[in-house]
């Protein structure tokens, strides 16, 4: 199970090795993705809180990267954070998610991206429920549930 120290270690010293890589040009992504999805995943946008019904859905299922199809999160790790964005306590697999220090907007945060295609997912915070204490705060539009 990943804890906050593991996250900081990834962000500072290097991410887990990706299971595979999907690399496309910005132009390719723009032509393949819906405009809002493109802005969030490739331009590090943020959807408005509570803009997705996905926050309140907790039935079993798996959440895949909308850009490359990599499995990112399992509904078993989903919880109601009240933040307005889908929230998870762990990724589906350690190597599925990459971590990056993010000093934008006057805050120091840890950005999370898809480790396969570098899609911007959201941020991870150390204020999630035990036992991991992690809160992966993810844009609903960055994921596809199956
Ligand atoms: Zn991806």
């Amino acid at each position: 199970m990943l804890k906050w120290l593991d996250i900081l270690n990834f962000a500072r010293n290097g991410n887990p090795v990706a299971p595979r890589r999907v690399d496309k040009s910005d132009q390719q992504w723009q032509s393949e993705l819906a405009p809002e999805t493109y802005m969030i995943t490739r331009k590090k946008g943020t959807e408005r809180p509570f803009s997705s019904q996905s926050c309140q859905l907790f039935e079993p299922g798996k959440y895949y990267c909308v850009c490359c199809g990599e499995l990112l999160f399992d509904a078993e790790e989903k919880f109601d954070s009240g933040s307005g964005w889908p929230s998870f306590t762990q990724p589906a697999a350690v190597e599925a998610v990459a971590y990056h220090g993010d000093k934008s907007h006057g805050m120091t945060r840890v950005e999370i991206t898809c480790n396969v295609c570098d899609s911007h997912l959201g941020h991870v915070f150390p204020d999630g429920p035990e036992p991991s204490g992690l809160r992966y705060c993810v844009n609903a539009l960055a994921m596809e549930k199956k």
Side-chain angles (χ1 to χ4, degrees), residues 45-66:
T46 303
E47 67 198 11
R48 282 177 299 108
F50 303 102
S51 64
S52 163
Q53 294 199 326
S54 164
C55 304
Q56 304 302 329
L57 295 178
F58 296 96
E59 62 266 29
K62 295 185 189 302
Y63 292 81
Y64 297 83
C65 176
V66 73

Side-chain angles (χ1 to χ4, degrees), residues 22 29 42 65-70 72 114-119:
V22 172
W29 287 122
R42 312 315 308 186
C65 176
V66 73
C67 294
C68 76
E70 186 68 15
L72 297 175
C114 171
N115 205 16
V116 170
C117 75
D118 302 333
S119 171

Side-chain angles (χ1 to χ4, degrees), residues 8 26 29 38-40 44 46-47 51-52 65 76 78 81-82 84 108 111 115 120 124 128 135-136 139 141-142 144:
L8 294 179
D26 188 52
W29 287 122
Y38 169 78
M39 281 309 297
I40 286 167
K44 303 190 189 301
T46 303
E47 67 198 11
S51 64
S52 163
C65 176
E76 284 184 22
K78 200 162 187 269
S81 67
T108 301
E111 180 198 4
N115 205 16
H120 173 74
V124 59
R135 171 170 63 97
Y136 287 74
N139 288 295
L141 283 178
E144 195 169 33

